[in-house]
Amino acid sequence: MDALYIFASVGLWAAILRIATPLIFGTLGALMSERAGVLNLGIEGIMTFGAMIGWLTVYHGGDLWLGLLAAAVAGGVFGILHALLTVPLGLSQHVTGLGITLFASSLSYFIFRLCVPVSGTPPTIVPFQVLHIPGLSDLPFVGEAVFRQTAPTYLAVILALVLAYVLARTPLGLAIRLVGENPHAAESQGLDPIRIRIGAIIFGSSLMGLGGAFLTLSAFNSFFPTMVQGRGWVSIALVVFASWRPERALLGALLFALFDAYQLRLQQIVGKAVPYQVFLMIPYLMSIAALLVMARRARVPQALMQPFRRGER
């Protein structure tokens, strides 16, 4: 019964939003790129670099919001690199993305060691503080669970809703979706598929950088090279789970966060009777099961991973 009582805990539901935030940013970033027809496997490295740059900006005296902006710009720079290699040059999106992940992750550690002296205790910053929303934060249960989060969490949720509207209801969203489905048809309508794809990749990579920055500027107060811990790869899977729709991406990130938050509390109840590695597997196993169910109904953008060359059919 104790395992069921966990679901009545306010702490569980508050933790879900915190755990889901970097996944929301990462999933939205991957989704925007894939909607335009380009797979970005550089997400893990971009999130790591964004986490480092955001933290380093604040550590050297910058504002927290400036740290988020720096992380977004840093992510966009890697987006430019990925876009130039995969769109105009038509290089392998898989190889380019994995190369960016390795490069960005290694560069993060290199720059961090150059700028921060080696010490026994990792240096820290003052991260984003929990917001108190008058009236809402004082509500029983819901107020504590939903309306006592940091600002980047609310930013992630708002972005998911805004992007859902943009992709479904605006000419810009229609152009992005058309390029991801049939870039030659988009070109025949006077659109430039190359520019649209490059723009989508850069914007998506900026969101990935924000996802990494959340870890150092809100969830934690320091940086270490392995802190992303596979969240980028989870985001890639969540895009499929969401059927390339931002509102479903938000729900998918919350679902994975629920599994993760639950297993952390379940460990405390069971104790050492079960190896902790079993609990660490729970969110991934549950996510795989959910992915198998949703992937059958997912409609992949028809031009995903297909290079576009003018004049070819």
Side-chain angles (χ1 to χ4, degrees), residues 10-32:
V10 175
L12 172 71
W13 299 101
I16 288 171
L17 275 173
R18 289 196 301 270
I19 295 172
T21 300
L23 297 175
I24 296 171
F25 280 121
T27 304
L28 292 176
L31 185 148
M32 290 301 296

Side-chain angles (χ1 to χ4, degrees), residues 139-185:
L139 293 172
F141 198 90
V142 176
E144 295 181 42
V146 179
F147 298 108
R148 292 185 183 179
Q149 303 289 337
T150 58
T153 295
Y154 298 118
L155 176 62
V157 174
I158 292 171
L159 269 174
L161 299 178
V162 169
L163 290 179
Y165 175 80
V166 169
L167 284 176
R169 303 289 183 179
T170 67
L172 175 60
L174 176 60
I176 293 173
R177 289 188 287 120
L178 181 57
V179 168
E181 295 290 340
N182 192 333
H184 296 288

Side-chain angles (χ1 to χ4, degrees), residues 172-215:
L172 175 60
L174 176 60
I176 293 173
R177 289 188 287 120
L178 181 57
V179 168
E181 295 290 340
N182 192 333
H184 296 288
E187 186 182 33
S188 69
Q189 296 298 316
L191 300 174
D192 188 341
I194 292 179
R195 292 180 62 182
I196 292 174
R197 281 188 169 184
I198 290 176
I201 296 169
I202 295 173
F203 178 70
S205 298
S206 296
L207 295 181
M208 297 172 188
L210 288 176
F214 173 84
L215 297 174

Side-chain angles (χ1 to χ4, degrees), residues 27-28 31 35 164 167 238-239 242-250:
T27 304
L28 292 176
L31 185 148
R35 266 298 197 176
L167 284 176
L238 286 176
V239 173
S243 299
W244 289 268
R245 295 173 59 180
E247 67 276 15
R248 290 189 180 180
L250 174 60

